[in-house]
Amino acid sequence: MKPDWLAPAGLHTAAARPPVLGELPSFGGATGWLNSPPLTPAGLRGNVVLAGVWTYTCINWLRQLPYLRAWSEKYAGRGLVMVGVHTPEFAFERDPDNVRRAVQEMRIGYPVAIDNDYAVWRALDNHYWPALYFADAQGRIRHHHFGEGQYQQSEMVIQQLLADAGSDAIGHDLVSVDARGVEAPADWAALRSAENYTGAERTENFASPGGAVAGKPHAYPAPAELRLNHWALSGEWTMDEQASTLNEAHGQIAYRFYARDLHLVMGPAVRGVSVRFRVLIDGQPPGAAHGADVDGQGNGKVAEQRLHQLIRQHSPVTDHTFEITFTDPGVQVYAFTFG
């Protein structure tokens, strides 16, 4: 989920005639579909197609989602077919039930191709979550965008391709969204912490004394202090390639961060089990800085494999030490993201 940008792009003017960048590939490699029967190139011909590659725990895609919903609502009856290509990053995102739940909870009404084998991803030669591919009524890709931002330009491209396809009364007005919760835009000016994974394969700045012990249970001691953007485990955890799993109750994770928002992708190791936790900032309950998934005392529980918003600071944003203690064992923690 590493983005390829540092700050949101400004307003750009769409080209009068976007260049042809290739053919929109078939979705035939999809392993399943939601909200639609399988879509084919022949069935899509004559429609403008916006194919968006996503995975449901990606914070960058979650902040793009309000625009995708708005474009679908505005243009679906005017010749636009939106297709969400769900290509998983983590193992639990391959579970169709998890994806189906996310689609329902996130109010996604457009067709979703489940791309568990990365067939559509490879056919697009894609490298990013999220990614948007804009195809004209002849099935030719005319524009693409990787990451967040440039929503005005993207909508202008949609309008141009629809006009070229003969749609009437498209107009030039652009959608306005009221994004809240995890979908709210990042506070880029105050964002000094980058996404970081908690699995052994891709983690950075791990600060528990003795370092990471991959693939087997290990009792981690807490460090005396944390530098900015460093993190640590304490208690008995197993750090596998993608995730760290808590083996005994009262395990803890600490992270020194500088951002308005702190999110944690996590879930129970066993479906149907809930894991209780408590969050502190600099040793105190978060109070008004609590995120959507905790209360002011920092209390919450993990019952689903998804992104959890744990901290949302108010101005001025500064650096803090975040701590989360799990009352129960059996949580799997995958990644920290910030906003």
Side-chain angles (χ1 to χ4, degrees):
M1 293 188 288
K2 296 291 187 185
D4 64 334
W5 71 99
L6 297 178
L11 178 63
H12 296 260
T13 301
R17 290 293 181 272
V20 175
L21 303 175
E23 296 292 319
L24 183 69
S26 166
F27 299 106
T31 56
W33 286 83
L34 300 174
N35 297 336
S36 171
L39 300 178
T40 65
L44 290 169
R45 191 57 55 92
N47 294 284
V48 172
V49 178
L50 173 53
V53 181
W54 63 295
T55 191
Y56 79 84
T57 63
C58 174
I59 186 59
N60 312 113
W61 171 79
L62 285 164
R63 295 193 290 242
Q64 184 186 78
L65 178 57
Y67 290 90
L68 302 180
R69 284 200 213 96
W71 295 336
S72 178
E73 292 170 3
K74 182 175 180 180
Y75 299 109
R78 304 182 184 185
L80 175 69
V81 175
M82 290 188 56
V83 181
V85 178
H86 186 273
T87 310
E89 179 173 23
F90 301 119
F92 66 83
E93 291 173 312
R94 295 178 178 274
D95 186 331
D97 288 338
N98 284 345
V99 182
R100 185 176 295 106
R101 173 184 53 79
V103 166
Q104 292 173 348
E105 292 181 354
M106 295 173 185
R107 298 178 284 113
I108 299 171
Y110 50 83
V112 173
I114 298 178
D115 188 32
N116 279 356
D117 293 338
Y118 276 60
V120 182
W121 174 285
R122 289 192 297 270
L124 288 165
D125 193 25
N126 185 59
H127 301 279
Y128 303 100
W129 294 279
L132 298 176
Y133 295 87
F134 302 74
D136 62 20
Q138 287 75 49
R140 303 172 298 180
I141 296 176
R142 305 296 297 278
H143 182 70
H144 53 59
H145 178 70
F146 306 127
E148 302 175 54
Q150 297 192 8
Y151 301 117
Q152 299 95 333
Q153 182 186 27
S154 292
E155 188 171 1
M156 291 177 193
V157 171
I158 293 171
Q159 292 175 348
Q160 181 66 65
L161 295 180
L162 289 172
D164 290 348
S167 297
D168 296 327
I170 295 299
H172 300 290
D173 294 339
L174 303 178
V175 300
S176 177
V177 303
D178 181 19
R180 302 185 181 187
V182 296
E183 296 179 359
D187 183 353
W188 296 103
L191 182 56
R192 301 181 188 177
S193 291
E195 178 181 41
N196 197 1
Y197 297 88
T198 60
E201 184 178 43
R202 289 189 285 176
T203 193
E204 297 177 348
N205 298 332
F206 183 65
S208 291
V213 177
K216 62 182 180 180
H218 182 72
Y220 290 93
E225 61 179 357
L226 285 175
R227 290 185 291 157
L228 182 62
N229 295 325
H230 285 63
W231 74 285
L233 298 171
S234 62
E236 186 176 296
W237 296 78
T238 300
M239 184 182 287
D240 292 316
E241 287 187 1
Q242 286 200 339
S244 290
T245 303
L246 178 61
N247 301 315
E248 296 182 353
H250 305 293
Q252 185 181 89
I253 304 177
Y255 205 115
R256 187 76 180 178
F257 77 106
Y258 197 126
R260 183 194 66 195
D261 303 337
L262 180 147
H263 316 103
L264 193 52
V265 177
M266 58 182 174
V270 178
R271 185 186 293 274
V273 173
S274 294
V275 178
R276 296 168 294 167
F277 65 82
R278 191 178 188 206
V279 163
L280 300 177
I281 300 180
D282 299 332
Q284 300 296 320
H290 72 88
D293 290 298
V294 299
D295 61 22
Q297 292 300 308
N299 297 308
K301 66 178 181 179
V302 180
E304 299 168 335
Q305 294 167 315
R306 62 177 176 86
L307 179 143
H308 295 72
Q309 185 188 74
L310 303 179
I311 299 296
R312 168 154 285 176
Q313 294 191 66
H314 299 279
S315 296
V317 173
T318 60
D319 61 311
H320 295 282
T321 297
F322 164 87
E323 297 171 301
I324 182 169
T325 301
F326 297 95
T327 307
D328 308 302
V331 70
Q332 291 181 318
V333 181
Y334 290 82
F336 282 90
T337 62
F338 303 92

